[in-house]
Amino acid sequence: MIRVESLSKKYQDHEVVKSVNLIIEKGKLTTIIGPNGAGKSTLLGMVSRLLEKTAGVVYVNEIPIEEWNENELAKTLAILKQDNNVGMRITIEELVGFGRFPYSQGKLTKEDQEHIDNAINYMGLNDIRNKYLNELSGGQRQRAFIAMIIAQNTEYILLDEPLNSLDIKHAKELMKIIRELVDNLGKTVVMVLHDINFASCYSDRIIAMQDGNVVQIGNVEEIICGDLLEELYETPIRIENYEERKICIYY
């Protein structure tokens, strides 16, 4: 479990995350939604320890995140940021191998290679594993980064806008894979999404944020409702039920 208590972030006099309290349940796919500037990515960055907090405490498995050894935390929690640019000419297999660094410290063992092979196969990249990242489409590139996270073999996976720059087809394919990480591999996934329809279709829990505050936390039925979303996004939204899913229509 990840538990957040009174977590805040200030930049000079501007408070972008305001005393947030929440619990991330194990074995669930939790999605953070909200308009631009709500503090979603800032919250995720503090939960992962990539971003220094101003106040509050983040507990990972009931241990304050500051008390975690860096290497042990990297074996427990992985984060994939929006700007996952790599300034080197490397192949998919080499990228996925980076996920094993907390275990191998750069000296890959047979066990490390098995994790790499399994992650590449899981993401359907085996036929192009020797391709360089700059040769890949946006969808292939994002799958390669997800494979790296799978190879890291952590309990918690944090994804910041994983659908960024993907078309609808590839976004849907990736969301199915993310859902399978929870259902088939037993991972706990927390992700920031702008698309509330994907949040509705694939999430177990949704955290709604606005102006640095958590407005509401609940299941899909509790969060995907017209009044809450219209207030959150300040635009008319109609909710339709389609094949047991809630679909948001903007007008």
Side-chain angles (χ1 to χ4, degrees):
M1 179 177 67
I2 296 176
R3 183 160 53 92
V4 169
E5 291 185 355
S6 302
L7 195 63
S8 300
K9 180 64 178 177
K10 276 187 177 181
Y11 291 104
Q12 297 179 338
D13 293 331
H14 181 50
E15 195 172 24
V16 294
V17 173
K18 304 171 183 177
S19 194
V20 164
N21 297 282
L22 57 85
I23 291 174
I24 303 297
E25 299 179 20
K26 280 189 177 183
K28 304 284 188 183
L29 198 168
T30 300
T31 302
I32 307 173
I33 66 169
N36 290 340
K40 305 181 297 296
S41 295
T42 302
L43 174 62
L44 202 69
M46 290 190 289
V47 169
S48 67
R49 208 169 72 175
L50 282 184
L51 189 62
E52 187 176 351
K53 58 186 172 57
T54 301
V57 186
V58 176
Y59 297 92
V60 178
N61 294 341
E62 296 302 327
I63 301 171
I65 200 166
E66 293 86 358
E67 296 180 12
W68 280 83
N69 169 276
E70 184 175 342
N71 209 50
E72 289 306 308
L73 183 62
K75 294 177 182 177
T76 305
L77 184 151
I79 182 167
L80 187 61
K81 301 184 295 180
Q82 288 187 54
D83 53 341
N84 48 20
N85 294 318
V86 176
M88 297 179 289
R89 182 171 164 80
I90 60 172
T91 65
I92 289 175
E93 181 168 358
E94 289 168 336
L95 174 71
V96 177
F98 289 161
R100 298 304 299 168
F101 190 83
Y103 306 88
S104 67
Q105 302 299 305
K107 298 178 181 178
L108 296 176
T109 65
K110 182 179 179 181
E111 181 182 353
D112 292 320
Q113 191 60 53
E114 288 176 356
H115 279 281
I116 293 167
D117 292 341
N118 290 340
I120 288 173
N121 286 327
Y122 191 86
M123 294 304 297
L125 296 168
N126 195 50
D127 290 344
I128 57 171
R129 65 190 298 154
N130 295 316
K131 272 196 170 186
Y132 290 96
L133 294 188
N134 63 351
E135 299 173 333
L136 305 179
S137 67
Q140 290 171 331
R141 185 182 176 90
Q142 196 70 328
R143 280 160 54 204
F145 278 98
I146 297 291
M148 178 183 69
I149 294 296
I150 293 173
Q152 195 171 333
N153 195 30
T154 59
E155 181 179 355
Y156 302 100
I157 296 175
L158 278 52
L159 304 172
D160 191 4
E161 288 292 349
L163 309 184
N164 208 14
S165 302
L166 297 184
D167 60 28
I168 293 174
K169 175 187 175 183
H170 290 100
K172 181 180 178 182
E173 290 174 353
L174 189 58
M175 282 304 306
K176 286 182 177 180
I177 290 168
I178 292 170
R179 182 69 248 179
E180 288 170 357
L181 295 180
V182 177
D183 296 337
N184 298 341
L185 300 185
K187 304 297 185 182
T188 300
V189 176
V190 187
M191 62 181 176
V192 171
L193 277 189
H194 274 296
D195 192 310
I196 53 178
N197 279 316
F198 279 128
S200 170
C201 292
Y202 292 94
S203 304
D204 295 309
R205 304 280 288 171
I206 299 177
I207 299 169
M209 292 190 69
Q210 185 182 52
D211 296 327
N213 297 298
V214 170
V215 176
Q216 191 168 330
I217 303 173
N219 59 30
V220 171
E221 292 293 328
E222 293 168 322
I223 304 299
I224 305 299
C225 57
D227 291 344
L228 174 61
L229 294 180
E230 286 189 356
E231 182 179 346
L232 197 67
Y233 291 97
E234 299 179 345
T235 191
I237 296 174
R238 187 172 82 248
I239 309 299
E240 298 285 351
N241 289 306
Y242 177 72
E243 293 183 353
E244 299 182 355
R245 296 176 178 176
K246 285 184 173 289
I247 304 299
C248 305
I249 300 173
Y250 324 113
Y251 58 97

